[in-house]
C-alpha cells in the first residue's frame, strides 16, 4: 500500500523554490484565463477561470499528497498503474465523448475528463521503472527495441482517438529519457534514418485535418480565413502587444474574438498581447526556471529512480511548453497541446501539479540512503 512516512528531515527539505514557481505559474494562468473569458460587449466574464480555480484547489491537494508519498513506492507499483491506464485509454475509444472530430473524453460523476492527460503522470513513473537498472553503458538497437514494446501501446491508443499531439508527447519524453541514458552513435544514426523514411508512411495514415495543420504551418497565408486563421491572428495579437502590452483585459484581438481557443491552446497570445514582450519573457523565464529546478532536483537525488523521475518530468514540461509556444508563434504546426498549468483544462492542470508533487517528493528525500523506501 502507499503509506505515508514523513519525518522532520523530509519536511525541512521541502523545495520552496519549486513550490514558488508552481504558485507563480498557476496564478498567472488564472488571471490569463479570466482575461480570455472577458466579453467587452456585455461586460461579463465567462466562468472558465472559476472552474479552473476549483481544479487548482484539487491540484494543490494532490501536489502535497504526492509530496508526502515516497516516490519509490509509486515506481514500485508503476506497472499496475500502467495497466490501469491502458484500460482507461481503451475505454475512451469504446465509450468516450466525441468533440471536434476526436474521442478524447469520458464522464465521471458528471465531470468530463481527458485520460490521455492523466496518463502523462503514469508515463513518468513507468519510464523511471523501465530504465531503473541503467548503467554507464550506452543503449544499442536491441536494448531500445526491448524497451519499445512498453512505449507503443499508449501511443497507439491515443493516436487512434485521434490525438497526435499527446501521443507525440509520450514518444518525445521516452526519447529524451533515452538520450539521458545514452545511445550508441550508430544506433542513433539508424533511428534518425528510420524516422525520415517512416515520415511518408505516417503522412498517409494521418487524418485530413492533421495534414491540413502541417500544410498550414508551411504556408498559413494560403488560407488566411480558413486553416491559417488561428496562427495568423495569434501572431497579430503577439505583435500588437509591443514592448509592454495593452494592459490587463485590454487586448483587442482576444476580446474581440479574433483569436480562437484563446483560453486553451492560444493562451500565450492573450498574455503577449496584454503584457507585451516583457510579459512573454516573464512566462518563458518562469518555465525555464521550473525545468532547470526539476533537473536540479534530479541531479541531487542519490539513486536512479529519483533521477529518472525528474528527467521524465522535466522532459514533459519542456516539450509541452516549447511546442505550445512554437505553434502559437507559427514555428510549428497547431497540434492542440496546451501550455502547462496556464491553459484552461482541469485534467491537464491536476496532472502537471501531481507531476510536480512527485518531483518535490524526490527533493524531500534527496538525503535518504538509496535503500530507504
Amino acid at each position: 500500500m502507499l503509506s505515508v512516512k514523513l519525518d522532520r528531515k523530509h519536511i525541512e527539505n521541502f523545495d520552496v523554490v519549486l513550490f514558488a514557481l508552481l504558485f507563480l505559474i498557476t496564478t498567472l494562468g488564472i488571471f490569463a484565463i479570466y482575461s480570455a473569458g472577458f466579453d467587452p460587449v456585455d461586460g461579463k466574464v465567462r466562468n472558465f477561470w472559476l472552474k479552473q480555480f476549483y481544479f487548482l484547489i484539487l491540484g494543490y491537494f494532490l501536489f502535497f499528497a504526492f509530496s508526502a508519498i515516497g516516490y519509490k513506492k509509486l515506481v514500485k507499483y508503476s506497472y499496475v498503474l500502467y495497466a490501469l491506464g491502458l484500460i482507461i485509454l481503451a475505454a475512451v475509444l469504446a465509450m468516450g465523448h466525441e468533440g471536434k472530430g476526436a474521442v478524447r473524453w469520458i464522464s465521471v460523476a458528471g465531470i468530463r475528463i481527458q485520460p490521455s492527460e492523466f496518463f502523462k503522470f503514469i508515463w513518468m513513473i513507468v519510464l523511471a521503472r523501465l530504465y531503473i537498472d541503467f548503467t554507464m553503458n550506452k543503449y544499442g538497437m536491441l536494448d531500445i527495441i526491448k524497451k519499445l514494446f512498453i512505449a507503443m501501446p499508449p501511443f497507439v491508443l491515443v493516436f487512434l482517438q485521434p490525438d497526435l499531439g499527446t501521443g507525440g508527447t509520450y514518444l518525445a519524453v521516452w526519447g529524451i529519457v533515452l538520450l539521458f541514458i545514452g545511445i550508441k552513435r550508430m544506433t542513433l544514426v539508424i533511428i534518425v534514418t528510420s524516422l525520415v523514411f517512416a515520415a511518408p508512411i505516417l503522412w498517409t495514415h494521418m487524418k485530413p485535418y492533421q495534414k491540413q495543420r502541417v500544410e498550414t504551418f508551411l504556408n498559413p497565408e494560403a488560407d488566411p480565413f480558413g486553416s491559417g486563421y488561428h496562427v495568423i491572428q495569434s501572431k497579430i495579437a503577439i505583435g500588437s502587444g509591443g514592448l509592454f502590452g495593452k494592459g490587463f483585459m485590454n487586448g483587442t484581438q482576444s476580446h474581440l474574438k479574433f483569436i480562437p481557443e484563446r483560453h486553451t491552446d492560444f493562451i500565450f497570445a492573450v498574455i503577449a498581447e496584454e503584457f507585451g514582450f516583457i510579459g512573454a519573457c516573464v512566462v518563458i523565464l518562469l518555465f525555464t526556471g521550473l525545468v532547470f529546478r526539476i533537473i536540479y532536483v534530479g541531479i541531487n537525488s542519490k539513486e536512479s529512480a529519483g533521477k529518472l523521475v525528474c528527467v521524465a518530468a522535466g522532459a514533459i514540461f519542456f516539450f509541452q511548453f516549447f511546442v505550445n509556444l512554437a505553434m502559437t508563434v507559427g514555428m510549428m504546426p497547431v497540434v492542440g497541446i496546451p501550455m502547462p498549468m496556464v491553459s484552461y483544462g482541469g485534467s491537464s492542470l491536476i496532472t502537471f501539479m501531481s507531476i510536480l508533487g512527485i518531483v518535490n517528493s524526490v527533493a524531500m528525500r534527496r538525503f535518504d540512503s538509496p535503500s530507504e523506501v
Side-chain angles (χ1 to χ4, degrees):
M1 297 296 291
L2 297 178
S3 58
V4 176
K5 182 181 178 182
L6 282 176
D7 55 31
R8 184 176 179 180
K9 177 181 65 175
H10 293 145
I11 297 174
E12 289 176 349
N13 291 326
F14 183 93
D15 198 318
V16 178
V17 175
L18 184 75
F19 180 76
L21 290 167
L22 164 65
F23 176 79
L24 290 172
I25 292 173
T26 53
T27 302
L28 169 70
I30 292 294
F31 279 99
I33 294 169
Y34 183 92
S35 179
F38 174 64
D39 190 338
V41 176
D42 57 15
K44 295 181 179 179
V45 179
R46 301 184 68 180
N47 65 350
F48 291 128
W49 74 273
L50 187 59
K51 293 179 181 178
Q52 188 81 344
F53 182 75
Y54 291 146
F55 280 110
L56 182 61
I57 295 173
L58 176 59
Y60 275 115
F61 170 79
L62 291 173
F63 171 82
F64 288 111
F66 283 117
S67 295
I69 296 172
Y71 64 94
K72 284 195 282 188
K73 289 186 174 69
L74 286 172
V75 173
K76 180 180 179 181
Y77 295 106
S78 60
Y79 290 149
V80 176
L81 295 173
Y82 177 78
L84 292 174
L86 290 183
I87 292 172
I88 297 173
L89 288 178
V92 172
L93 294 175
M95 60 185 69
H97 294 277
E98 183 175 352
K100 298 181 180 179
V103 181
R104 303 174 186 173
W105 302 270
I106 57 175
S107 292
V108 178
I111 299 175
R112 186 170 293 187
I113 63 174
Q114 188 174 351
S116 59
E117 285 292 331
F118 296 138
F119 196 86
K120 293 172 184 176
F121 174 85
I122 298 175
W123 194 227
M124 171 189 68
I125 303 298
V126 167
L127 289 177
R129 175 68 179 275
L130 187 63
Y131 296 103
I132 197 170
D133 58 347
F134 79 93
T135 62
M136 295 304 293
N137 297 323
K138 294 183 178 181
Y139 272 46
M141 182 58 68
L142 184 60
D143 300 312
I144 294 175
I145 292 174
K146 289 178 180 178
K147 304 291 187 180
L148 184 62
F149 284 108
I150 201 169
M152 292 310 296
F155 170 77
V156 172
L157 288 172
V158 173
F159 181 78
L160 291 174
Q161 292 181 1
D163 187 355
L164 186 59
T166 302
T169 301
Y170 298 162
L171 288 184
V173 173
W174 174 73
I176 292 172
V177 172
L178 270 179
L179 290 175
F180 166 76
I181 293 171
I183 304 175
K184 294 178 180 178
R185 183 178 299 177
M186 183 53 63
T187 300
L188 183 60
V189 171
I190 294 173
I191 292 174
V192 173
T193 304
S194 300
L195 290 174
V196 171
F197 282 101
I201 299 175
L202 179 63
W203 176 262
T204 60
H205 287 81
M206 289 173 66
K207 300 287 184 179
Y209 78 90
Q210 293 173 331
K211 293 181 180 180
Q212 189 178 56
R213 286 177 176 178
V214 177
E215 293 167 352
T216 299
F217 160 68
L218 296 174
N219 186 16
E221 285 74 19
D223 189 10
F225 298 106
S227 59
Y229 183 81
H230 291 63
V231 174
I232 292 173
Q233 295 301 323
S234 176
K235 291 194 289 186
I236 291 174
I238 294 171
S240 67
L243 184 61
F244 298 105
K246 300 174 181 177
F248 181 60
M249 296 180 68
N250 289 324
T252 52
Q253 292 296 115
S254 56
H255 295 145
L256 295 179
K257 302 179 181 179
F258 286 104
I259 306 176
E261 310 296 340
R262 58 192 177 279
H263 60 298
T264 53
D265 296 348
F266 288 89
I267 193 72
F268 182 77
V270 176
I271 296 172
E273 182 183 24
E274 297 189 350
F275 298 99
F277 178 76
I278 300 299
C281 287
V282 169
V283 175
I284 294 172
L285 287 174
L286 285 173
F287 275 99
T288 301
L290 180 64
V291 172
F292 273 101
R293 190 63 187 183
I294 293 172
I295 300 304
Y296 172 83
V297 172
I299 290 173
N300 285 277
S301 177
K302 292 184 177 180
E303 48 81 48
S304 57
K307 293 182 183 296
L308 288 169
V309 162
C310 291
V311 170
I316 293 172
F317 273 94
F318 168 77
F319 180 80
Q320 189 146 336
F321 173 74
F322 175 78
V323 171
N324 177 270
L325 180 66
M327 74 181 194
T328 302
V329 299
M331 293 174 58
M332 289 186 69
V334 177
V335 291
I337 291 182
M339 183 170 287
M341 303 189 298
V342 177
S343 295
Y344 172 76
S347 299
S348 176
L349 178 64
I350 62 178
T351 295
F352 281 107
M353 295 184 74
S354 298
I355 288 173
L356 290 182
I358 294 298
V359 173
N360 191 41
S361 176
V362 176
M364 293 169 66
R365 292 161 179 82
R366 63 184 179 272
F367 296 118
D368 291 358
S369 66
S371 61
E372 291 184 69
V373 178

